[in-house]
Amino acid sequence: MNHRLTVVGLGPGQHDWCTPEVTALFDQATDLVGYAPYLARVPAGCTARRHASDNRVEAERAEHALDLAAGGGNVVVVSSGDPGVFAMASAVLEQLDEHPERWCDVHVSVCPGITAAQALASRVGAPLGHDFCVISLSDVLKPWSVIERRLDAAAGADFVIALYNPRSRHRPHQFTDAIAVVCRHRDASTPVVVGRNVGRDEEAVTITDLERLDHTTIDMSTIVIIGSSTTRVLDRPTSCQVYTPRSYAEPRLLPSVAQCREAGASPARYSPL
Amino acid sequence: MNHRLTVVGLGPGQHDWCTPEVTALFDQATDLVGYAPYLARVPAGCTARRHASDNRVEAERAEHALDLAAGGGNVVVVSSGDPGVFAMASAVLEQLDEHPERWCDVHVSVCPGITAAQALASRVGAPLGHDFCVISLSDVLKPWSVIERRLDAAAGADFVIALYNPRSRHRPHQFTDAIAVVCRHRDASTPVVVGRNVGRDEEAVTITDLERLDHTTIDMSTIVIIGSSTTRVLDRPTSCQVYTPRSYAEPRLLPSVAQCREAGASPARYSPL
């Protein structure tokens, strides 16, 4: 009897981004639980029972996986990307938290994976080469006011910003609102990288800037990386690349919190450009 | 003649975190360039010439690698973790940017890897399960005022915060200063996860909180993850785990930017706790 549940990430799309740690687990699993398109990416040689579920039923999926493990299984919950970043690891731990007496004997662990922002960043160079934030724009599970507040803080402090779940059919205007918040602090020429289906056959990556960014091309299959004030585009003969330098040589552009307070101003109102 | 340079990440320590994409590149490489301890982690079966360098000579290492590629090599620059996060990918692109006429025929690409914060997060559950920031506390390449400003913004907007290069012998007081900035906004009981040498034999992971965090145990081999106001510690019979829920159910705790401005206050002065 195993009583074991492991939450794993396949990485985004490309099969050779899945770590050997995760691949080895498939050989020992009795049950695989996950969103159907992710389970379809598990190698056919894996003979574990497959329990496919629909999108947006993370709590039910986690509960089902925990029940299978409590029944003695060696259960693998399959996420795309990194299961610890806007994915199933939190959903499983939420269930344990809500039901402290249930599933006491199930050992739960997590294996990391390449997350979509890293994959997209690698395609164009190193836009995440310096301090960065990762924000989900979905307001299904948090109020828009929190999202707006975080965008304002991240842009005001000149972080590179990676946006997950940037624009859904149900809230197309919110992406435009989010970009407007960023534009309070960031120049129109700030580099923006848009990646759709990164790591899959239909992958499309675009390098643009805040001014020219076509909002209508953004949807839930997209990841958006917005540069900081120091992020640069390199137009080379062989390719166009984007990177954020390791050094931050312009202290005068970003006054310290203390200086802002001395001046009686909110740090967020200082623009780095 | 290859004229090819690929910057890769081995992941942090554990060999089965290195992606198959990266492993396959070692078979084709003519030259490996990297910090000596990272090159030592490349499988012995890889027959490429190894060019080991010291720590803190990233610019020189990048220049050397580009020269080798310009000479016709198929060069792999070896980083730990993700080469796109505080690592060699930006160092290589900085060289290209500084010398636009040199190395014109070298094709540069990047392969992503598991970064240390993801590895540490996976060891304890899912502390990065919701919006998060990644900040290097090293002021070798950026002024401390920028770091302080970013910490204040990230803590004020209730991001989970992952700290890289948290505390060196040359600036032991700065980690304490950084935690003081976070404590302006975050309760003393906020969960903190400390990971030393994650993925290596000598790995040590500690779950603590802002109040009990022992600053003297932090050094450059350490990664520190500071929870948001919603991050929770689960004390289970089988293990102690930390996660940040996917939902953010307390909008009243984080007023919107508009509400802050209406109140004539800086959003950063509102504390979520």
Side-chain angles (χ1 to χ4, degrees):
Chain A
M1 301 295 267
N2 289 285
H3 302 292
R4 178 171 288 276
L5 185 156
T6 313
V7 193
V8 308
L10 300 172
Q14 197 171 304
H15 71 91
D16 59 3
W17 280 341
C18 180
T19 66
E21 178 185 46
V22 170
T23 305
L25 280 174
F26 292 141
D27 293 337
Q28 300 152 20
T30 58
D31 299 86
L32 304 182
V33 176
Y35 177 44
Y38 303 154
L39 286 192
R41 288 172 49 201
V42 175
C46 171
T47 57
R49 283 180 296 275
R50 299 185 183 222
H51 308 266
S53 46
D54 285 340
N55 204 357
R56 292 194 171 211
V57 290
E58 290 85 359
E60 294 81 352
R61 188 188 301 145
E63 192 179 6
H64 182 209
L66 285 160
D67 282 343
L68 289 166
N74 187 353
V75 180
V76 175
V77 174
V78 181
S79 268
S80 184
D82 184 331
V85 177
F86 307 124
M88 282 304 297
S90 280
V92 168
L93 292 161
E94 282 165 21
Q95 287 299 310
L96 294 177
D97 203 1
E98 281 176 32
H99 307 282
E101 303 300 320
R102 208 170 151 187
W103 306 307
C104 281
D105 57 349
V106 175
H107 182 87
V108 172
S109 57
V110 178
C111 296
I114 305 289
T115 188
Q118 294 173 293
L120 174 58
S122 74
R123 288 295 198 235
V124 297
L128 305 180
H130 203 52
D131 303 337
F132 64 93
C133 289
V134 178
I135 306 176
S136 169
L137 289 195
S138 169
D139 69 346
V140 174
L141 293 168
K142 67 184 163 185
W144 182 254
S145 60
V146 170
I147 299 171
E148 189 196 25
R149 164 85 188 280
R150 289 181 177 167
L151 286 166
D152 195 63
D158 206 22
F159 282 96
V160 175
I161 302 171
L163 300 176
Y164 282 61
N165 308 313
R167 186 169 180 272
S168 85
R169 275 171 302 173
H170 306 292
R171 45 181 180 81
H173 63 283
Q174 288 183 342
F175 181 74
T176 301
D177 295 347
I179 295 299
V181 172
V182 173
C183 287
R184 289 179 196 154
H185 308 281
R186 215 59 64 83
D187 193 81
S189 65
T190 301
V192 175
V193 182
V194 178
R196 170 187 299 279
N197 293 317
V198 173
R200 296 184 208 157
D201 290 342
E202 58 274 32
E203 171 176 315
V205 174
T206 308
I207 298 171
T208 180
D209 61 32
L210 277 175
E211 187 165 35
R212 291 176 300 168
L213 174 62
D214 180 356
H215 296 200
T216 63
T217 64
I218 310 298
D219 64 20
M220 296 297 268
S221 309
T222 321
I223 296 284
V224 178
I225 298 177
I226 302 169
S228 73
S229 69
T230 64
T231 303
R232 292 175 56 77
V233 177
L234 274 181
D235 219 344
R236 304 187 62 228
T238 53
S239 63
C240 184
Q241 292 180 300
V242 181
Y243 80 104
T244 305
R246 298 165 304 141
S247 63
Y248 201 99
E250 293 111 319
R252 66 182 169 74
L253 294 177
L254 268 182
S256 72
V257 173
Q259 287 169 324
C260 291
R261 287 190 172 149
E262 267 170 34
S266 155
R269 287 184 200 143
Y270 282 78
S271 172
L273 279 165
Chain B
M1 302 294 267
N2 289 284
H3 303 291
R4 177 172 288 276
L5 186 156
T6 313
V7 194
V8 308
L10 300 171
Q14 197 171 304
H15 71 91
D16 59 3
W17 280 340
C18 180
T19 67
E21 179 184 46
V22 169
T23 305
L25 281 173
F26 291 140
D27 292 336
Q28 302 151 19
T30 59
D31 299 87
L32 305 183
V33 176
Y35 177 43
Y38 302 155
L39 286 192
R41 288 173 49 201
V42 174
C46 171
T47 57
R49 282 180 297 276
R50 298 183 184 222
H51 309 266
S53 46
D54 285 339
N55 204 358
R56 292 194 172 212
V57 290
E58 290 85 358
E60 295 80 353
R61 188 187 301 143
E63 191 179 6
H64 182 210
L66 286 161
D67 282 343
L68 288 167
N74 186 352
V75 180
V76 175
V77 175
V78 181
S79 269
S80 184
D82 185 331
V85 176
F86 307 124
M88 283 304 296
S90 280
V92 168
L93 292 162
E94 282 165 20
Q95 287 300 311
L96 295 176
D97 203 1
E98 280 176 34
H99 308 280
E101 303 300 321
R102 206 170 153 187
W103 306 306
C104 280
D105 57 348
V106 176
H107 182 86
V108 173
S109 56
V110 178
C111 296
I114 305 290
T115 187
Q118 294 173 293
L120 173 58
S122 74
R123 288 295 198 234
V124 297
L128 305 181
H130 203 51
D131 302 338
F132 65 93
C133 289
V134 178
I135 305 177
S136 169
L137 289 195
S138 170
D139 68 347
V140 174
L141 294 167
K142 68 185 162 184
W144 182 253
S145 59
V146 170
I147 299 171
E148 189 195 25
R149 165 86 188 279
R150 288 180 177 168
L151 286 166
D152 194 63
D158 205 22
F159 282 96
V160 175
I161 302 172
L163 300 176
Y164 282 60
N165 308 314
R167 186 170 179 271
S168 86
R169 276 172 300 174
H170 306 292
R171 44 182 181 80
H173 63 284
Q174 288 183 341
F175 182 74
T176 301
D177 295 348
I179 296 299
V181 171
V182 173
C183 287
R184 289 179 197 154
H185 308 280
R186 214 60 63 86
D187 193 81
S189 66
T190 301
V192 176
V193 183
V194 178
R196 170 187 299 279
N197 293 317
V198 175
R200 296 183 208 158
D201 291 342
E202 59 274 32
E203 172 176 315
V205 175
T206 308
I207 298 171
T208 180
D209 61 33
L210 278 175
E211 188 165 34
R212 292 178 299 169
L213 174 63
D214 179 357
H215 296 200
T216 64
T217 63
I218 310 297
D219 63 20
M220 296 297 268
S221 308
T222 320
I223 296 284
V224 178
I225 298 177
I226 303 169
S228 73
S229 69
T230 64
T231 302
R232 290 174 58 78
V233 178
L234 274 181
D235 218 345
R236 305 187 63 227
T238 52
S239 63
C240 185
Q241 292 180 298
V242 181
Y243 81 102
T244 305
R246 298 165 303 142
S247 63
Y248 200 100
E250 293 110 318
R252 66 181 169 75
L253 295 176
L254 269 181
S256 71
V257 173
Q259 287 170 322
C260 292
R261 288 192 169 145
E262 267 169 35
S266 155
R269 287 187 201 141
Y270 281 78
S271 171
L273 277 165

